[in-house]
Amino acid sequence: VHKISLDYVALRWASLGWRAYDAGLLCFAFAHGSNGLRQVLEDYIHGRTARRVLRTLIFLFWLSITALGAAAVIGGVRQ
């Protein structure tokens, strides 16, 4: 177990590989949460078209949040 500090995170994020790994974890975590949200909402929505719209909206939400997070993780580090 490491003592996590700002210096430790800065040293780890100095490598593009670690930033890509963290962005991948972020992507999968958001996908997991979005899928759970979809499952819960589909219990209350009964209609083929409504479910298709719901899935599209949740996918677009996931895509935008993931893109923002990945841009912050990968591109938001000062060298």
Side-chain angles (χ1 to χ4, degrees):
V1 177
H2 293 283
K3 180 180 177 187
I4 297 176
S5 65
L6 181 61
D7 293 332
Y8 173 75
V9 174
L11 182 64
R12 181 175 165 174
W13 277 13
S15 167
L16 181 62
W18 277 113
R19 287 184 282 173
Y21 176 78
D22 288 341
L25 284 178
L26 189 70
C27 173
F28 287 123
F30 283 146
H32 180 74
S34 296
N35 188 41
L37 178 64
R38 180 189 61 82
Q39 291 285 345
V40 169
L41 291 177
E42 281 189 356
D43 285 343
Y44 296 101
I45 295 177
H46 306 289
R48 194 172 187 173
T49 305
R51 284 186 175 190
R52 185 174 296 150
V53 169
L54 173 72
R55 289 176 184 158
T56 302
L57 289 175
I58 289 177
F59 175 73
L60 291 175
F61 169 75
W62 171 80
L63 191 63
S64 62
I65 293 295
T66 300
L68 270 169
V73 168
I74 292 175
V77 177
R78 286 188 227 146
Q79 297 295 334

